Amino acid sequence: MSEKTTIYDIAKALNITAATVSRALNNNPKISQATKKLVLETAAKMNYKQNKLALALKSGRSNTVGVIVPYIDRNFFSSIIRGIEEELYPLGYHVIICQTHEEEGTEIDNINALLNAQVDGILMSVSKHTTQLDHFDHVLKKGVPLVFFDRKKDIKGVSTVTIDDFEGGYTATKHLIEQGCKRIAHLSGDRSLEIYKHRYEGYKKALEDFGLKVNKDHVVQCKNDIAAGHKAIDKFMKLDHRPDAIFSSSDFLALGAIQQLKKNGIKIPEEFCVVGFSNEPFTKFMELSISSVDQSPVLMGNTAAKVFLEQVKDSNVKIEKKVVLSPKLKIRKSSSRS
Amino acid sequence: MSEKTTIYDIAKALNITAATVSRALNNNPKISQATKKLVLETAAKMNYKQNKLALALKSGRSNTVGVIVPYIDRNFFSSIIRGIEEELYPLGYHVIICQTHEEEGTEIDNINALLNAQVDGILMSVSKHTTQLDHFDHVLKKGVPLVFFDRKKDIKGVSTVTIDDFEGGYTATKHLIEQGCKRIAHLSGDRSLEIYKHRYEGYKKALEDFGLKVNKDHVVQCKNDIAAGHKAIDKFMKLDHRPDAIFSSSDFLALGAIQQLKKNGIKIPEEFCVVGFSNEPFTKFMELSISSVDQSPVLMGNTAAKVFLEQVKDSNVKIEKKVVLSPKLKIRKSSSRS
């Protein structure tokens, strides 16, 4: 058989209409199981390759949206994805997801895989190690809408949905000051990333506004994991001037710090207060629950999806929208002295 | 311009080779940024639509594998995905992920989206509410390899990678008996799902082997969340014959149970022991760490990927492989009396 078998060939062979063949191939519920079986078997026998792309190009859409995140298993990102799905599923869109593990190379591969899958749009959070912008240009040149959420690059024509990380850092630090803490340390992620830079700036500004000074020994830039939290406390313990509180830009760091503080016999929150960032579920589950800055990830996902929908609604209009959401501090045991 | 612009038309317009055009369109690092820019701009001007599918059909592969899981944010599933990626990335495969939220309809949509994206294979865990099998047949009829992990349906020609849930339930229950527990309750997920049925059977067998009886009041079938764990304890508290231990088929249920036991002033593990299932990270983070059955999800992902690779290696050979992995009990504070 020729490779160019069409649905018309199959229709002819079975003496049914091409529309029925097409519906059967697309698993349309209106077509009986018996017919589907017959069509699929005949299509296989005739070596038919369904060109969904042709259909997609004809209608101009595949009804599939690609989402790229650094890690699918961080509650923050999985909640954003839920928010995107909430908006897009009812409209008949499918959502396919890729993770970068913070690798630029994987991010480029993911983008190519999604473009090859003919997605109608890409909603993504940029990997920590991304320095190039070519792959984003590639998306835009192909006319595929691109929306950044949380972690963004400033690119003309790309809409972004972020939270006000400065405000998050400011609110958390102000809260610690109000609890009576005087020597507030900051555990920060890589500040070449805007989100961490802004959280740090919010921290600094709150200290300034309340007449406190930033002690360089109290600001530690580290990885986002529990072990790094342990290490930071070990470092603080050796100082003459020890901190009495931590605003951490990550919940995992905050958890590590709390574990190590306890090992050192330091009472939380009486002697030391801790606030994390992201509101990971475990912060709430702990017996000593951890205060944390909530980033409204489901709302962020909803918003990113809405921004995308506005863009596909009228492809003749270029929309560049910058949405900034407000974070919310969740005060829990790790910083409640009252 | 015609819709049928080819790379040859672009090559001619720019006076370069078609191979260079193709490489530029595929973002090949060997092509200079200037050339890429020129090619992309010209392609856009000439209304060129890249038919990746044609390339994929020519080589017979898209180098993309689709993974479907109920929830991406359960550590168990995200770890399996990591395991799949570990095996497939080095071989040049991309992994795209979909989640079903346990909905059969979404599962069918996901499968169609992945087939439309021309994936080379689908590796998946079946949704809780899936009763139909047509969509799986659809995959097989299209000649796309299908591998089930953890949650499977018995379908001819489909390989499966599972863990021995019976053994997991048996080992956890035996451990509780060895801690001196006499009235071991079981919180179970929906037992129409094989995994929960087998965990329950392992529990029953361990009780029998040690001469203990199953008390119907002590076996509760419920949702996999914290609230259901609270409710189960409320129910147990009203019994004359209260249990003194729980083997829970979910860590979230176990956490809810522990929270409610504490509210009732019951000491863990002295008066009551608890073992969960899945080894979610929070079970380890808790001050009162929770014993749990680890399912080696990364290994499960590695294995599922290897099974897929065997299948694509030689498409003329039909391989149906059933791999069963052994679970490992992680004993922590919630059940350590010694």
Side-chain angles (χ1 to χ4, degrees):
Chain A
M1 287 284 163
S2 144
E3 275 220 357
K4 286 180 177 171
T5 303
T6 67
I7 56 167
Y8 300 99
D9 300 325
I10 302 167
K12 208 174 157 189
L14 292 173
N15 200 21
I16 56 178
T17 68
T20 303
V21 172
S22 168
R23 286 194 195 106
L25 290 171
N26 289 296
N27 205 14
N28 187 313
K30 284 181 189 153
I31 304 297
S32 75
Q33 289 311 319
T35 305
K36 276 183 199 169
K37 196 164 169 266
L38 196 62
V39 168
L40 283 170
E41 281 171 0
T42 309
K45 249 185 258 165
M46 294 176 78
N47 197 23
Y48 170 74
K49 311 264 182 191
Q50 194 172 11
N51 193 339
K52 271 286 183 168
L53 177 63
L55 290 175
L57 288 178
K58 215 169 136 195
S59 74
R61 39 201 295 187
S62 67
N63 283 325
T64 302
V65 167
V67 177
I68 303 176
V69 292
Y71 295 104
I72 51 171
D73 64 345
R74 292 286 162 116
N75 178 62
F76 174 62
F77 292 118
S78 60
S79 300
I80 292 175
I81 293 169
R82 181 150 34 95
I84 292 171
E85 290 174 342
E86 272 178 15
E87 287 296 321
L88 296 184
Y89 271 155
L91 301 175
Y93 281 98
H94 311 301
V95 174
I96 58 182
I97 307 154
C98 297
Q99 59 180 342
T100 63
H101 296 276
E102 304 283 16
E103 294 296 334
E104 180 171 45
T106 309
E107 184 174 282
I108 294 171
D109 287 346
N110 286 343
I111 281 189
N112 288 330
L114 292 176
L115 289 176
N116 293 348
Q118 303 291 327
V119 292
D120 290 338
I122 295 179
L123 283 59
M124 67 179 293
S125 200
V126 178
S127 146
K128 196 179 280 185
H129 298 123
T130 295
T131 54
Q132 292 182 56
L133 300 177
D134 299 354
H135 52 302
F136 303 128
D137 286 342
H138 191 56
V139 174
L140 295 175
K141 287 271 165 62
K142 288 204 156 200
V144 173
L146 180 63
V147 177
F148 290 138
F149 52 82
D150 192 48
R151 309 222 205 124
K152 65 181 172 66
K153 297 278 180 189
D154 287 313
I155 297 175
K156 216 175 150 251
V158 180
S159 292
T160 60
V161 182
T162 53
I163 67 148
D164 192 333
D165 284 287
F166 177 91
E167 186 190 336
Y170 189 95
T171 310
T173 309
K174 181 168 169 272
H175 160 69
L176 288 168
I177 297 168
E178 287 166 352
Q179 296 299 305
C181 305
K182 302 282 184 214
R183 303 178 304 281
I184 300 164
H186 177 46
L187 305 187
S188 159
D190 179 354
R191 290 203 293 280
S192 65
L193 226 67
E194 277 189 356
I195 55 165
Y196 296 121
K197 192 175 139 223
H198 293 159
R199 287 172 203 176
Y200 168 67
E201 282 165 357
Y203 156 81
K204 251 186 13 182
K205 186 69 167 61
L207 291 186
E208 279 167 29
D209 284 358
F210 286 85
L212 297 172
K213 280 200 176 125
V214 176
N215 180 335
K216 273 188 188 169
D217 289 337
H218 290 178
V219 177
V220 180
Q221 203 168 186
C222 44
K223 278 174 88 178
N224 268 349
D225 58 26
I226 296 175
H230 294 169
K231 262 192 234 165
I233 295 300
D234 290 344
K235 199 193 144 201
F236 291 153
M237 285 298 131
K238 290 178 195 137
L239 297 177
D240 288 333
H241 232 70
R242 290 185 192 171
D244 63 357
I246 286 173
F247 160 53
S248 166
S249 66
S250 135
D251 284 331
F252 291 94
L253 272 172
L255 172 62
I258 287 175
Q259 288 175 343
Q260 201 70 354
L261 285 164
K262 280 189 181 168
K263 262 202 184 161
N264 281 280
I266 292 168
K267 279 185 192 140
I268 303 167
E270 296 82 353
E271 299 170 2
F272 205 109
C273 290
V274 178
V275 176
F277 210 106
S278 277
N279 202 20
E280 287 285 334
F282 72 80
T283 57
K284 199 168 53 184
F285 297 162
M286 311 291 296
E287 287 91 334
L288 178 79
S289 55
I290 305 176
S291 301
S292 189
V293 177
D294 184 72
Q295 302 165 279
S296 317
V298 176
L299 180 62
M300 187 179 276
N302 293 156
T303 311
K306 280 179 190 159
V307 169
F308 158 75
L309 289 170
E310 272 180 56
Q311 247 168 298
V312 286
K313 210 171 164 187
D314 188 351
S315 57
N316 295 319
V317 182
K318 290 254 177 236
I319 303 175
E320 186 181 325
K321 211 168 178 176
K322 307 284 171 195
V323 183
V324 180
L325 306 172
S326 256
K328 279 177 202 71
L329 176 64
K330 302 282 179 186
I331 300 172
R332 304 204 177 94
K333 288 184 191 165
S334 70
S335 71
S336 297
R337 283 183 173 170
S338 53
Chain B
M1 287 284 164
S2 144
E3 274 219 356
K4 286 180 179 170
T5 302
T6 66
I7 56 166
Y8 299 100
D9 301 325
I10 301 167
K12 208 173 158 189
L14 292 174
N15 199 22
I16 55 177
T17 68
T20 303
V21 172
S22 168
R23 286 195 194 105
L25 291 171
N26 288 296
N27 206 16
N28 186 313
K30 286 182 189 153
I31 305 296
S32 77
Q33 289 312 319
T35 306
K36 275 183 198 168
K37 195 164 171 265
L38 196 64
V39 168
L40 284 170
E41 281 170 3
T42 310
K45 249 185 258 163
M46 294 175 77
N47 198 24
Y48 171 75
K49 310 264 183 192
Q50 194 173 10
N51 192 338
K52 273 286 185 170
L53 178 60
L55 290 176
L57 287 180
K58 215 168 135 197
S59 74
R61 39 202 294 187
S62 66
N63 283 325
T64 302
V65 167
V67 178
I68 303 175
V69 293
Y71 295 105
I72 51 170
D73 64 345
R74 292 286 162 115
N75 178 63
F76 174 63
F77 291 119
S78 61
S79 300
I80 291 175
I81 293 169
R82 182 149 34 93
I84 292 171
E85 289 174 342
E86 273 178 12
E87 288 296 321
L88 295 184
Y89 270 156
L91 300 174
Y93 281 97
H94 312 302
V95 173
I96 57 182
I97 307 155
C98 297
Q99 59 180 342
T100 62
H101 297 276
E102 305 283 15
E103 293 297 335
E104 180 170 44
T106 309
E107 183 174 282
I108 294 170
D109 287 346
N110 286 343
I111 280 188
N112 287 331
L114 292 176
L115 290 176
N116 293 347
Q118 304 292 324
V119 292
D120 291 336
I122 296 178
L123 282 59
M124 68 179 292
S125 201
V126 178
S127 145
K128 197 179 281 185
H129 299 123
T130 295
T131 52
Q132 292 182 57
L133 301 177
D134 299 354
H135 50 305
F136 304 127
D137 286 340
H138 192 53
V139 174
L140 296 177
K141 286 272 166 59
K142 288 204 157 199
V144 173
L146 179 64
V147 177
F148 289 139
F149 53 81
D150 193 49
R151 307 220 206 126
K152 64 182 173 64
K153 296 277 182 190
D154 288 312
I155 298 176
K156 217 176 151 253
V158 180
S159 293
T160 59
V161 181
T162 54
I163 65 148
D164 191 334
D165 285 287
F166 176 90
E167 187 190 335
Y170 189 94
T171 310
T173 309
K174 181 168 168 272
H175 160 70
L176 289 168
I177 297 168
E178 286 165 351
Q179 296 299 303
C181 305
K182 304 280 184 214
R183 301 178 303 282
I184 300 165
H186 178 46
L187 306 185
S188 158
D190 180 353
R191 289 203 293 280
S192 65
L193 226 64
E194 277 188 356
I195 55 165
Y196 296 120
K197 192 176 139 223
H198 292 160
R199 288 173 202 176
Y200 168 66
E201 283 165 357
Y203 156 80
K204 250 187 10 183
K205 185 71 167 60
L207 292 186
E208 279 167 29
D209 283 357
F210 286 83
L212 296 171
K213 280 201 178 126
V214 176
N215 179 335
K216 274 188 189 169
D217 288 336
H218 290 178
V219 177
V220 181
Q221 204 167 186
C222 45
K223 278 174 86 177
N224 269 349
D225 59 25
I226 296 176
H230 295 170
K231 261 192 235 163
I233 295 299
D234 290 344
K235 199 194 144 201
F236 290 153
M237 286 297 132
K238 288 178 197 137
L239 297 177
D240 288 332
H241 232 69
R242 290 184 192 172
D244 61 0
I246 287 175
F247 160 54
S248 166
S249 66
S250 135
D251 283 332
F252 291 93
L253 273 171
L255 172 62
I258 287 175
Q259 288 175 343
Q260 202 69 356
L261 284 165
K262 281 188 179 169
K263 261 202 185 158
N264 281 280
I266 292 168
K267 280 187 192 139
I268 302 167
E270 296 81 354
E271 298 171 4
F272 204 109
C273 290
V274 178
V275 176
F277 210 105
S278 276
N279 202 20
E280 287 286 333
F282 71 81
T283 56
K284 198 167 55 180
F285 297 162
M286 313 291 295
E287 287 91 334
L288 179 78
S289 55
I290 304 175
S291 302
S292 188
V293 178
D294 183 72
Q295 301 167 280
S296 318
V298 176
L299 179 63
M300 187 179 276
N302 293 157
T303 311
K306 282 179 190 160
V307 168
F308 158 74
L309 289 170
E310 273 180 55
Q311 247 168 299
V312 286
K313 210 171 164 188
D314 187 353
S315 58
N316 295 319
V317 183
K318 292 254 177 238
I319 303 176
E320 187 182 325
K321 212 168 174 176
K322 309 283 172 196
V323 183
V324 181
L325 305 171
S326 256
K328 280 179 201 67
L329 177 64
K330 301 281 180 188
I331 300 173
R332 304 203 178 95
K333 288 185 190 166
S334 69
S335 71
S336 296
R337 284 183 173 168
S338 53

